[in-house]
Amino acid sequence: MAEGNQTVVYLSEQVVVLCSCALSFVGSSLIILTYIMWSDLRTTPRRLLVYLSVADWLSAVSYAFGVWRVFRSDSQGCVAQGAISTFANTSSFFWTVAIAVYLYVFIVRSSQRVADSLVLLFHLVSWGVPLAITVAAVSLNKIGYDASEVSVGWCWVRIHAPDRVLWMLLTGKIWEFLAYLTLPVLYILIKRHIHIAHAALSEYRPILANRPPSHSFSSMADMKLTLIPVIFIVLRIWSTVRFILLLAGSPARLNPVLVTLHGIGNTSQGAANCIMFVLLTRPIRTRLCAALCCCSKYRAGEQPSHGAPQRLLPGQDTSTQREEDSTSRVRTDR
């Protein structure tokens, strides 16, 4: 797969990774748009998710440009693309960990005040540290053509830099390793705290209510707490494997399957977050479906009646809506 000092990126790899970039672009945009559209969703955890989505959006765009161009030298476009992707990718690591820290303080430590006070620190660290590292790397001429040794067409740390391993660590890998260790620990502690609280509450459920409790929302939240670190590791592990193979001098890092998995993993974080926090979140999914139905009616030329509500409440069907319309107006938002 290697020709001289240049790693070949096959057309099939380009197509697959570009599709992954497109999905991540759409997913990150959808998270941002839902936050803007519905004011009742503007909680602090979802605001942190929006900041993460901004970083993932920027990563998807910069990676797509790099995969599309497949740079062959240290051109200005290569350096610019490498700098943007380095900043965005490193920022994504920090925001991912910041969300876990916020949830840990808020849920386990039961202190919303302390958790909210950390948001400013999150901004300083999650934007400031990646920016400082990127500026230093560009100023010292460390960002540029890397022959796709640990990338898939895009630019990162220059292949000819004598201290390239050090800068690969500083511009991404060391933060990636720390995220591997931090995320599972924090989410395990959160899940353990929630399970203990549920066990204690279950003793009093018979006298608190006559109807059986619904576990749909708690089970979905529990599943998300499990999936967040698992998905992060599954997506990012391929780039880590290629980095380790590079350190070992193994030609296995050029395997087309491994290269493709690396490209998909590095560019899919935005799409994965959209699936978990938009498509698998029932209230948001219901609103999106209602908005899409409304758009399709307008395109078909069906104007809604003046007094008809434009949105169903989460979990409300059309028959219930008709009954409520006969007595009162349905609230459009919760």
Side-chain angles (χ1 to χ4, degrees):
M1 192 174 176
E3 295 179 353
N5 194 34
Q6 178 177 307
T7 301
V8 176
V9 178
Y10 297 120
L11 179 61
S12 59
E13 297 170 353
Q14 286 182 269
V15 172
V16 171
V17 178
L18 283 173
C19 290
S20 177
C21 289
L23 290 174
S24 194
F25 173 86
V26 172
S28 299
S29 300
L30 197 56
I31 291 175
I32 297 170
L33 287 175
T34 54
Y35 180 84
I36 295 173
M37 289 169 59
W38 295 303
S39 59
D40 58 318
L41 298 179
R42 296 170 192 170
T43 61
T44 301
R46 188 157 288 271
R47 187 163 72 249
L48 298 180
L49 179 63
V50 168
Y51 301 143
L52 171 61
S53 298
V54 171
D56 290 334
W57 186 93
L58 199 57
S59 291
V61 173
S62 60
Y63 281 143
F65 181 70
V67 174
W68 174 64
R69 286 288 304 273
V70 187
F71 293 101
R72 310 294 184 186
S73 62
D74 288 318
S75 62
Q76 292 184 347
C78 173
V79 174
Q81 180 272 311
I84 293 173
S85 62
T86 296
F87 166 77
N89 196 46
T90 306
S91 179
S92 178
F93 292 151
F94 279 101
W95 279 116
T96 302
V97 175
I99 293 173
V101 172
Y102 180 91
L103 293 177
Y104 173 80
V105 175
F106 182 79
I107 297 174
V108 179
R109 297 301 180 185
S110 301
S111 178
Q112 182 177 359
R113 182 182 60 83
V114 175
D116 290 341
S117 68
L118 293 174
V119 174
L120 177 59
L121 178 62
F122 292 156
H123 279 288
L124 294 176
V125 174
S126 300
W127 299 126
V129 173
L131 181 61
I133 293 173
T134 303
V135 170
V138 173
S139 301
L140 297 174
N141 198 28
K142 303 299 180 181
I143 300 295
Y145 174 64
D146 71 341
S148 294
E149 287 286 299
V150 197
S151 68
V152 189
W154 57 76
C155 294
W156 189 28
V157 177
R158 292 178 63 247
I159 189 67
H160 298 299
D163 52 353
R164 61 175 182 163
V165 173
L166 172 63
W167 281 99
M168 285 180 180
L169 290 171
L170 289 176
T171 57
K173 291 305 170 187
I174 190 170
W175 316 114
E176 191 174 64
F177 292 143
L178 291 175
Y180 288 154
L181 298 175
T182 305
L183 291 177
V185 171
L186 289 176
Y187 281 110
I188 287 173
L189 292 174
I190 294 172
K191 282 170 60 68
R192 179 176 177 272
H193 178 83
I194 292 175
H195 289 167
I196 292 175
H198 282 177
L201 182 62
S202 64
E203 299 180 9
Y204 300 97
R205 279 175 182 159
I207 62 175
L208 289 176
N210 294 324
R211 61 178 183 175
S214 174
H215 299 283
S216 58
F217 290 106
S218 61
S219 62
M220 180 59 68
D222 187 68
M223 183 186 71
K224 289 180 182 178
L225 290 175
T226 302
L227 288 178
I228 289 172
V230 171
I231 289 177
F232 178 86
I233 293 173
V234 168
L235 291 179
R236 296 289 183 172
I237 194 64
W238 311 110
S239 64
T240 303
V241 169
R242 288 192 72 200
F243 176 70
I244 294 173
L245 291 175
L246 173 66
L247 297 182
S250 172
R253 70 183 181 278
L254 307 178
N255 182 280
V257 175
L258 184 58
V259 171
T260 303
L261 290 173
H262 175 191
I264 294 173
N266 268 42
T267 59
S268 295
Q269 191 65 52
N273 288 338
C274 179
I275 292 172
M276 283 192 294
F277 300 110
V278 175
L279 302 183
L280 292 182
T281 303
R282 190 196 301 176
I284 301 178
R285 185 174 66 245
T286 303
R287 295 182 185 193
L288 283 176
C289 291
L292 291 175
C293 291
C294 182
C295 290
S296 64
K297 288 181 179 180
Y298 274 113
R299 287 182 179 180
E302 299 178 9
Q303 297 294 333
S305 61
H306 179 73
Q310 299 183 11
R311 183 179 302 148
L312 293 178
L313 293 174
Q316 182 183 38
D317 57 24
T318 55
S319 61
T320 303
Q321 185 194 24
R322 286 194 296 267
E323 293 175 3
E324 292 179 353
D325 283 343
S326 62
T327 57
S328 63
R329 292 184 60 187
V330 179
R331 292 178 298 144
T332 58
D333 284 298
R334 293 181 70 175

